[in-house]
Amino acid sequence: MNTPLMQQYHSIKRHYENAILLFRMGDFYETFNDDAIKISKELDITLTSRDKNKDNTPLAGFPYHAMDTYLPKLLGAGLTVAIAEQIEDPKLAKGVVERKVVQVITPGTVYHSNVLKQDKGNYMVALWENKNNFGLVVLEFSTGELLVTEISGWENTLNEINKFNPSEIVVSDKQIFNFPTTYIVHPVAEREFFANNDYRLETKFRVHNVNGLGLTDYPLVQKSLSALLKYIEENQFLLPSHLQTPRVYNIYDTMILDSQTVNNLELNTRLFETLNETQTGMGARLLRYSILNPLLNHKEILERQQRVKYFVNNFEKLNIAELLKRVSDIERLFGRIGMYRATPRDVSALGMGLSLVVDINSTCKNYPDAMSPKIVAEITKVTELIKNTLIDIPPANINGGRYIKPDADPEVKRLSDIILNSSLFLKNYEKEEQARTGISSLKVTFNKVWGYYLEVTNTHLEKIPSDYVHKQTLTNATRFITSTLKEFENDIFSAEEKIVIKEREIFNKLLTDIINYKKAIKEAIKYISFLDLYNSFSLVATKRGYTCPKVSAMTEGKKLLNIKNGRHPVLDLTLGSSFIPNSTTITEQSFVHIITGPNMSGKSTYIRQVALISLLAQMGSFVPADECELTVVDRIFTRIGAGDDISSGRSTFMVEMSEVSTILRNATEFSLLILDEIGRGTSTYDGLSIAWAVTEHIAQKINARTLFATHYHELTDLSDIYSSISNYNVLVKEDETERKVVFLHSIGKGSASKSYGVHVADMAGLPSKVITRAKEVLSNFEKESIIKPIRPNIKSETKDNSQQQSLFSGVSDERIKQYENLRAMLSEVSLDETTPLKALSILSEIIKRVK
């Protein structure tokens, strides 16, 4: 039905087609059509229609006071929500009440605590590209953190974006980027990247010109930042004051970690969970950021180690975990205050949190990063301001008032007295009227519909005084109003309305006053975040026996990695004393380790643990080892596992080769390469050839510290050719008595003699007949040289790839011809047309030729 109300709804909805429009109607937020269908499913509420007899428009809604319950569920489902409020008093409206959208909440602009994960930042990104250079802006909206940088090359840019895993990305509608399909991308008009850039930036950050922001040398960032500010302003209908001054950073200041490495080493999941002994949301988010951004600066690493040592050495004396646990998430609370969307309870929590920060600062004497007396003094002013303004336990919203201390303002005190004294007045007035009328059952009472009134049973109506004015007739009683009661009603209603308005005015001023201490509060947030991080490192180190690594700078020219009895940090925690430590020694003379051994014996665990220990050391953390000495690693690359990329049409082997290509193109002599199989996605000869060539390239050209776990035992021959390559294997014990194999999970020098694949298959529960037959086939294979790849006839190390001999050099021409004839015969076989009898005939011919 196209009523005036629905015309108004559709006129608003046209501007917010991609958002759920919450349309305020009296005490409810209503949705219609597709929006109603969506929210009924997401919120599990009843889907109905606006008028079942005349209009089948789908309808679903919820009470306005339940917004805090339902909105987080919509945002948590990744939906954008537009909120349309009534902006005029319905009592005064002529026709349809005027409404307009007052806020649009997108996935990246969520600030609600019950939607956001405490230990994870919620980032949004803006991007502008010119000639393969990218201006990247990263905003954590709930805290106001604003990071900016310019990056060369799409691969580096995407790696950096993936680190933040943004909830939404703002780009120009004229530029096309190949983002992962999981990202929400919002194209905006290209003009927003150019229009009024200087004015926007100067106005928002209160500088005379853009030079004051330090962005003169970053023109691409200026465009991205300007477009992002416009996008936020249009959605929030204000430019939040909590946004921090943009901080320029260089992606090369910390270790670049590609998505493959982050996933392979489970940095964002299991490692974070293992290391997370933080007590605050701020510390947890900083820990996650630190894991994904290991330090490269040698001096910064040592400084972090000193802070961790402070807490390790004072562990029992300080024991500040309990104090930290009581500190609320003051970073996000201050963010909501900066948006003027904080509740009285939010502000009270900020005050208590800041007060605890001051206490912790006092407790941690001689801590290197202690807050200055000036910052402490300003934080104390903020806490006193909040304490003197708000009641001790304020409500979670401002709609009902009664959260400002009466002594904080004379008008609030006067109005509060009126309201507080109302009950006493009504009791006295009731007694007076009972005495005056002689009606002992007379009652003075109130309800929301009729207001205040006197109620008299019908048996006493003849006693009613002439100044009683009839108000309502009931079955057994009649209600009246008097001029005295009417005057009281006007006063009390007026006081209730006035105190709500006055308290909101005082509250908004309080928010402004707090924002004026922005610099000091940000310093307190930084202080407590890092203190929580270092204390967490110390808790992990103390509880689990971690040691402080000795870290050398890349500028020293050494490439060392020496770990004594290292442990995998995740498995060390889950397996405890049953986990078997292993040592690793990589030197400048021997920096490529080829590791062979059976499946399930621990090769993958071992090479991963070396990578994780290196990463922990460069975070400034202690490490799970008896001793550790290493040179700073510029990047960690991993090539682990197998999987296809169906969406991009890439096979398992193509994905594997793409990963290897990335490593070979980007690794340097100061990188750490963790390779778990190369070439297993193709034929044996192809795979072995590639693995061989890759290993040679690393040893000759890149010179990077490398751990290569492989089942290609033939690669161990490389140690005879190149002095930089060494062989290691996972030790195995064969029990002849019980005819079984025991994996010792220890790494030793030399190469493995067997793969024990059939044994692993037996452990996995394959039928005994299959295992027996497999052993027979394996025995036959091992007797026949055709099954074994031919060892390359390479006698001396060579630096010239053009002179490198073929993998199959030394094989006779006659033998090669036999292989080719056999391959030609097999290529003509059609499986779809081959009967079992014919298959046996073909197999007989193959055996004949082989022999």
Side-chain angles (χ1 to χ4, degrees), residues 42 59 217 220 228 264 297 353 381 384 454 473:
E42 293 294 341
L59 169 70
D217 297 329
L220 304 183
L228 183 65
N264 285 337
N297 187 294
K381 287 180 182 177
E384 289 176 352
L454 300 102
T473 299

Side-chain angles (χ1 to χ4, degrees), residues 546-563:
Y546 285 18
T547 57
C548 183
K550 182 179 179 181
V551 181
S552 302
M554 284 186 280
T555 53
E556 296 180 29
K558 298 183 293 184
K559 291 186 299 182
L560 300 177
L561 182 55
N562 185 15
I563 301 169

Side-chain angles (χ1 to χ4, degrees), residues 148-166:
V148 301
T149 189
E150 288 191 2
I151 308 173
S152 177
W154 173 242
E155 184 178 322
N156 287 334
T157 304
L158 186 57
N159 279 336
E160 191 64 17
I161 290 172
N162 288 339
K163 271 188 186 180
F164 293 99
N165 191 26

Side-chain angles (χ1 to χ4, degrees), residues 2-17:
N2 197 22
T3 62
L5 177 71
M6 291 307 295
Q7 289 176 11
Q8 183 191 58
Y9 169 82
H10 288 302
S11 70
I12 296 175
K13 179 64 178 175
R14 273 194 294 272
H15 297 287
Y16 302 95
E17 291 291 343

Side-chain angles (χ1 to χ4, degrees), residues 148 184 190 206 220 242 323 386 461 471 592 609 628 817:
V148 301
I184 298 172
E190 186 179 60
R206 298 180 183 178
L220 304 183
H242 77 300
L323 273 176
I386 294 171
L461 288 180
K471 194 162 192 175
V592 177
Q609 88 179 25
C628 178
K817 187 176 180 180

Side-chain angles (χ1 to χ4, degrees), residues 295-310 368-369 534 548-553 556 616-622 628 630 632:
L295 301 174
L296 296 180
N297 187 294
H298 180 241
K299 181 182 176 183
E300 290 180 8
I301 294 171
L302 297 184
E303 286 176 349
R304 282 198 177 185
Q305 287 183 352
Q306 291 304 313
R307 274 105 183 122
V308 178
K309 284 180 182 177
Y310 170 84
D369 298 322
Y534 300 143
C548 183
K550 182 179 179 181
V551 181
S552 302
E556 296 180 29
L616 283 174
Q618 290 185 219
M619 288 167 54
S621 169
F622 286 17
C628 178
L630 57 84
V632 169

Side-chain angles (χ1 to χ4, degrees), residues 157-422:
T157 304
L158 186 57
N159 279 336
E160 191 64 17
I161 290 172
N162 288 339
K163 271 188 186 180
F164 293 99
N165 191 26
S167 297
E168 62 178 318
I169 303 175
V170 176
V171 297
S172 163
D173 58 1
K174 299 294 175 61
Q175 294 187 341
I176 299 174
F177 301 101
N178 186 25
F179 293 114
T181 55
T182 53
Y183 287 154
I184 298 172
V185 181
H186 289 298
V188 302
E190 186 179 60
R191 65 177 179 274
E192 300 302 346
F193 287 82
F194 291 90
N196 302 315
N197 283 0
D198 288 358
Y199 175 76
R200 277 183 196 162
L201 300 181
E202 290 162 5
T203 302
K204 167 64 193 95
F205 297 108
R206 298 180 183 178
V207 291
H208 292 298
N209 54 58
V210 178
N211 296 342
L213 293 175
L215 300 179
T216 307
D217 297 329
Y218 302 92
L220 304 183
V221 162
Q222 291 181 38
K223 290 180 172 58
S224 297
L225 182 54
S226 177
L228 183 65
L229 292 176
K230 179 66 175 176
Y231 179 78
I232 292 171
E233 188 174 15
E234 286 183 344
N235 287 330
Q236 298 295 309
F237 296 90
L238 55 83
L239 201 49
S241 60
H242 77 300
L243 300 191
Q244 300 173 25
T245 302
R247 177 166 69 84
V248 179
Y249 76 103
N250 189 324
I251 64 168
Y252 301 106
D253 288 343
T254 57
M255 189 191 296
I256 296 173
L257 296 170
D258 57 51
S259 300
Q260 197 65 30
T261 298
V262 171
N263 293 333
N264 285 337
L265 298 180
E266 301 176 294
L267 302 184
N268 241 332
T269 51
R270 297 182 72 187
L271 182 64
F272 171 79
E273 292 160 6
T274 298
L275 297 180
N276 187 19
E277 290 281 351
T278 61
Q279 307 298 319
T280 71
M282 298 159 289
R285 293 192 293 274
L286 181 58
L287 171 62
R288 191 181 295 277
Y289 181 85
S290 300
I291 290 173
L292 298 177
N293 295 273
L295 301 174
L296 296 180
N297 187 294
H298 180 241
K299 181 182 176 183
E300 290 180 8
I301 294 171
L302 297 184
E303 286 176 349
R304 282 198 177 185
Q305 287 183 352
Q306 291 304 313
R307 274 105 183 122
V308 178
K309 284 180 182 177
Y310 170 84
F311 286 106
V312 169
N313 294 337
N314 294 279
F315 179 75
E316 293 185 0
K317 183 174 70 174
L318 290 175
N319 195 18
I320 61 168
E322 287 303 317
L323 273 176
L324 283 167
K325 196 177 293 185
R326 291 164 52 198
V327 177
S328 52
D329 196 337
I330 55 178
E331 187 175 28
R332 282 183 166 159
L333 289 171
F334 185 65
R336 293 201 286 276
I337 288 170
M339 288 181 270
Y340 286 87
R341 294 200 168 106
T343 68
R345 191 168 293 172
D346 288 337
V347 178
S348 180
L350 176 76
M352 288 187 285
L354 289 174
S355 181
L356 282 166
V357 171
V358 172
D359 291 344
I360 291 170
N361 185 71
S362 177
T363 301
C364 297
K365 300 184 185 301
N366 303 319
Y367 175 59
D369 298 322
M371 292 191 296
S372 69
K374 180 182 177 183
I375 295 296
V376 171
E378 293 198 355
I379 293 299
T380 303
K381 287 180 182 177
V382 175
T383 59
E384 289 176 352
L385 182 64
I386 294 171
K387 186 177 180 180
N388 294 334
T389 304
L390 298 177
I391 62 175
D392 293 340
I393 306 177
N397 61 70
I398 61 175
N399 296 329
R402 314 301 290 277
Y403 48 85
I404 301 294
K405 283 185 175 180
D407 292 340
D409 181 84
E411 180 65 5
V412 170
K413 182 169 178 55
R414 185 184 73 82
L415 295 170
S416 296
D417 288 343
I418 292 173
I419 296 168
L420 289 172
N421 293 331
S422 62

Side-chain angles (χ1 to χ4, degrees), residues 57 126 159 196 220 260 299 306 320 331 351 380 432 470 516 522 526 573 576 595 630 646 648 655 687 756 760 762 826:
T57 301
N159 279 336
N196 302 315
L220 304 183
Q260 197 65 30
K299 181 182 176 183
Q306 291 304 313
I320 61 168
E331 187 175 28
T380 303
E432 290 174 3
H470 179 270
N516 288 336
K522 289 295 181 184
K526 180 181 177 181
L573 179 63
I595 303 148
L630 57 84
I646 296 174
S648 301
V655 170
Y756 299 98
V760 173
D762 191 12
L826 291 173

